Amino acid sequence: MRPAICWFRRDLRLSDNPALSAAAHQGRPVIAVYIHSPEEAGPWAEGAASRWWLHHSLQALGAALQAQGISLQIHRGPALNALQTLIRETDAEAVHWNRLYDPAIIERDRAIKAQLQADGIEVSSHNAALLREPWTVKTGTGGPYRAFTPFWRAAQRESTPAQPLPIPPLTGPALNSPLHVDDLALLPTIRWDTDFPAYWQPGEAGAQARLHAFVEQPVHRYDTDRDFPAINGTSGLSAHLHFGEISPRQIWHAAPAHESDDVKTFLAEIGWREFAHHVLFHHPSFPDEPLNPRFADFPWADDPDHQLLKAWQRGNTGIPLVDAGMRELWHTGWMHNRVRMVVGSFLVKNLRLPWQQGEAWFWDTLVDADLASNSLGWQWVAGSGADAAPYFRIFNPIRQSERFDAEGAYIARWIPELSRLPAKHRHAPFEAPADVLAKAGVTLGVHYPWPIVDLKASRQAALAAFAKIKKSPA
Ligand SMILES: Cc1cc2nc3c(=O)[nH]c(=O)nc-3n(C[C@H](O)[C@H](O)[C@H](O)COP(=O)(O)OP(=O)(O)OC[C@H]3O[C@@H](n4cnc5c(N)ncnc54)[C@H](O)[C@@H]3O)c2cc1C
């Protein structure tokens, strides 16, 4: 039998991998390939934290394939050239891959499919990343959804997601890979990633371990615990999902007792991921432009030399919950969802900096950076997106801190210089009495910054700015 190529992209797993199963159908020899072609993702090639993850995930995939008896071929793009070369060298008759939904990738894949088919190769793409393909969930009039609740209701109305596929038996020719993972130079040269391995185990085994730990216990308290950043109350599966080390179907079927409120809420978050892909698919400019065109003229603040942006990026704004979140992001490549909303609101509303600047920073620093979910998150925060927070909802980061980190444990973890302050003063050290600060060894402006913006005045300025665009024609 002539072999089939399984082109791995962001589906870095062996189980429940429809492209791999299709390639291996009826014992056909399989050639597994990964092609590094960041330029084909347009402006949205992987950021630095994602490249760290990808490096380790490719190593894990290579080892897992080796254990099944085949090797992972690593090539450099352009993807079409790499596939054509591999087809020529191996006499492969078919190419299978799992679909991605980033606009630039959709276009590239269409062109590759057309060319390979013209070359006489059998080409099939499959769905491995979503419970529902973006074009299959439609409103009553046949259009896309712009609100989550009806979208998710409609998405669930169809049949239950199919059972995940097992790892297929694999055979393949003995091949030497032209490149090794190290040749892709995905790891940073300045090693800011030293803390990451303590938090993450990229790869399918790491994803399964996290899923099983989560469905054992935390999922049963998800509804309450998920909002508290000091608690490990969420699954931590986002990067595994982004790189396709686990499928939403596997999560769906591993989740116990679907009728419990905790599990329903958790699965609805998987639903938000589906919604994000739905919105991106139907609005390809979503990562760059506000979905609500009124926001195109939003009067952003001046930020000479990016001083405000830099203070935000470095976790030096003087607002502890914001700074704790930004430092968690820097050290771990991840940030708790509630804190993402708070730091986002602070950037866009209190500092009045464009949401695209926050989106770009997250893109570079998050291990779970995902074009669909990141765009949705930022446009939600800005009030310009699908089912977004209303523009007048401006989080007060001090109240959020008092409510969701009452003991100040999260702040103490990420801003140790504030850990000697009594919990109630950690939320707003600039309001603490001088003797309390002195006793805790905190001098504002020396050990920890004064706030870079007045929360009340900046809130008023944001509301005034929003009132202006509200009057502009939609
Ligand atoms: C400004 C902003 C930017 C964001 N950027 C990203 C991003 O780049 N990548 C990303 O995966 N998520 C992003 N999110 C959504 C969310 O914060 C993360 O998915 C979540 O914190 C990941 O942690 P978890 O895996 O423990 O989530 P859990 O609470 O365990 O949720 C399970 C899964 O559901 C999905 N999910 C949960 N919340 C959302 C959401 N609001 N939107 C879309 N999917 C969701 C994720 O895949 C997650 O792994 C962003 C949110 C905001 C407010």
Side-chain angles (χ1 to χ4, degrees):
M1 247 190 283
R2 289 167 67 195
I5 292 174
C6 176
W7 176 17
F8 283 92
R9 296 117 63 87
R10 288 201 314 256
D11 51 348
L12 305 177
R13 64 176 185 269
L14 304 192
S15 61
D16 200 30
N17 186 325
L20 182 63
S21 292
H25 188 60
Q26 293 183 336
R28 188 157 56 170
V30 172
I31 293 159
V33 62
Y34 179 81
I35 304 166
H36 188 57
S37 51
E39 58 292 340
E40 293 178 359
W44 296 105
E46 278 104 5
S50 299
R51 288 197 294 274
W52 176 88
W53 191 287
L54 179 60
H55 173 93
H56 294 287
S57 191
L58 286 173
Q59 279 187 329
L61 179 71
L65 283 167
Q66 206 64 62
Q68 301 289 324
I70 67 172
S71 65
L72 178 64
Q73 302 298 299
I74 297 182
H75 285 244
R76 245 183 240 290
L80 176 60
N81 294 4
L83 288 169
Q84 286 175 322
T85 306
L86 200 56
I87 290 166
R88 227 181 6 255
E89 287 172 0
T90 62
D91 194 30
E93 63 175 349
V95 180
H96 291 268
W97 67 71
N98 292 312
R99 283 189 278 280
L100 293 172
Y101 305 88
D102 304 8
I105 303 288
I106 292 179
E107 244 177 70
R108 179 204 60 183
D109 288 351
R110 268 198 200 125
I112 290 181
K113 193 177 218 174
Q115 184 55 54
L116 291 181
Q117 283 173 336
D119 294 348
I121 302 296
E122 174 199 332
V123 184
S124 304
S125 63
H126 308 261
N127 170 22
L130 295 172
L131 296 172
R132 302 273 175 255
E133 299 271 28
W135 53 88
T136 62
V137 187
K138 293 184 190 145
T139 63
T141 54
Y145 283 94
R146 282 177 81 132
F148 171 72
T149 305
F151 164 83
W152 189 226
R153 207 181 297 126
Q156 290 178 98
R157 216 175 285 134
E158 315 272 320
S159 56
T160 313
Q163 283 294 332
L165 301 163
I167 300 177
L170 295 174
T171 56
L175 292 174
N176 283 327
S177 176
L179 294 174
H180 293 283
V181 177
D182 287 338
D183 298 325
L184 303 181
L186 295 166
L187 294 178
T189 39
I190 300 169
R191 298 308 298 264
W192 43 258
D193 57 322
T194 44
D195 289 351
F196 281 24
Y199 295 96
W200 307 112
Q201 186 196 340
E204 186 170 9
Q208 288 294 334
R210 222 177 240 275
L211 172 65
H212 288 116
F214 179 69
V215 298
E216 263 309 276
Q217 266 300 320
V219 75
H220 299 295
R221 295 185 46 83
Y222 185 77
D223 232 354
T224 27
D225 284 359
R226 72 187 173 121
D227 264 324
F228 297 91
I231 298 177
N232 282 335
T234 66
S235 71
L237 284 168
S238 47
H240 297 291
L241 271 164
H242 171 75
F243 284 97
E245 298 165 358
I246 195 162
S247 73
R249 283 203 298 210
Q250 289 174 312
I251 296 175
W252 182 276
H253 287 286
H258 280 215
E259 64 287 352
S260 98
D261 284 345
D262 290 292
V263 175
K264 264 194 208 147
T265 309
F266 171 65
L267 292 176
E269 296 303 325
I270 302 293
W272 273 97
R273 179 178 175 274
E274 300 273 320
F275 181 56
H277 284 81
H278 180 80
V279 175
L280 176 62
F281 179 79
H282 290 288
H283 306 280
S285 63
F286 192 52
D288 307 298
E289 291 165 20
L291 195 61
N292 177 344
R294 274 202 176 113
F295 281 76
D297 295 328
F298 191 81
W300 301 111
D302 283 336
D303 183 19
D305 301 328
H306 297 304
Q307 287 306 314
L308 295 173
L309 179 66
K310 281 183 196 158
W312 178 81
Q313 290 172 335
R314 292 173 187 160
N316 281 328
T317 68
I319 305 296
L321 184 61
V322 172
D323 293 341
M326 298 309 292
R327 295 183 195 191
E328 176 179 40
L329 173 60
W330 183 254
H331 285 283
T332 70
W334 184 89
M335 193 196 299
H336 190 276
N337 180 58
R338 172 139 304 269
V339 191
R340 292 188 202 204
M341 294 192 285
V342 172
V343 304
S345 168
F346 182 78
L347 182 84
V348 174
K349 298 183 178 173
N350 295 104
L351 299 182
R352 250 185 325 119
L353 297 181
W355 57 268
Q356 290 94 336
Q357 295 187 358
E359 181 193 34
W361 182 249
F362 270 29
W363 184 256
D364 204 34
T365 53
L366 277 173
V367 288
D368 67 19
D370 180 270
L371 198 57
S373 299
N374 201 31
S375 313
L376 188 83
W378 279 100
Q379 292 228 34
W380 184 90
V381 162
S384 60
D387 211 346
Y391 73 90
F392 51 79
R393 182 165 176 208
I394 299 179
F395 281 106
N396 178 325
I398 310 296
R399 299 290 94 77
Q400 289 285 313
S401 187
E402 288 166 347
R403 189 162 162 211
F404 296 108
D405 188 33
E407 302 301 318
Y410 179 72
I411 289 173
R413 186 183 307 157
W414 295 109
I415 315 179
E417 55 271 40
L418 298 183
S419 61
R420 289 173 58 205
L421 276 175
K424 68 173 184 178
H425 289 300
R426 287 182 200 156
H427 311 290
F430 50 92
E431 288 173 355
D435 61 321
V436 172
L437 287 169
K439 208 168 152 205
V442 178
T443 306
L444 290 177
V446 176
H447 302 110
Y448 184 70
W450 288 97
I452 57 168
V453 71
D454 179 274
L455 291 177
K456 240 193 213 156
S458 57
R459 181 175 191 280
Q460 288 312 324
L463 288 174
F466 283 122
K468 239 186 237 167
I469 62 160
K470 219 174 123 190
K471 290 196 197 112
S472 64

